[in-house]
Amino acid sequence: QVQLVESGGGSVQAGGSLRLSCAAFGNRASKDCLGWFRQYPGKEREGVEREGVAAIVTGDGTTYYADSVKGRFTISQDNAKNTVYLQMNSLKPEDTAMYYCAAGANRYSCLLQPVVDRTYNSWGQGTQVTVSS
């Protein structure tokens, strides 16, 4: 298991930027990939899966993005700090959501389905991002 602690959420106007951070504590073998997901207000109660935003394979740094954020969001990692970041630029009101950091322990799943939530087995508590128009 991996402990994940997110930070960096907040409120911003459309067009602005935020950087989310996620400190990932735990066995390296449990962090074959690290990902960012989001869930829109009210969707958790409906049992809707979290939407994959971006993911990074920790071994070689390969990154993956949802089409909706390509060109605007960047995922990166700092191995020395056991931290993964999500730089979010050109934010839109539709980016408003709770953002979660997650760690996946199965390298095969990480490579096949990097932005699918069932690939991940450790989750942070989430950090809220609100973008106003």
Side-chain angles (χ1 to χ4, degrees), residues 60-102:
D60 61 13
T62 303
T63 57
Y64 302 87
Y65 296 94
D67 288 342
S68 59
V69 305
K70 281 181 183 176
R72 300 189 298 124
F73 291 10
T74 303
I75 188 170
S76 61
Q77 61 179 350
D78 184 333
N79 291 329
K81 295 181 180 179
N82 291 315
T83 299
V84 62
Y85 303 98
L86 185 68
Q87 177 67 43
M88 305 186 294
N89 298 329
S90 302
L91 282 161
K92 304 175 181 179
E94 51 263 44
D95 294 317
T96 294
M98 184 70 79
Y99 282 72
Y100 296 88
C101 177

Side-chain angles (χ1 to χ4, degrees), residues 4 10 12 17 31 37 45 74 90-91 102 105 113 118 124:
L4 301 159
V12 66
S17 299
K31 296 183 287 184
F37 290 76
R45 293 181 184 176
T74 303
S90 302
L91 282 161
Q113 297 182 312
R118 58 181 173 271

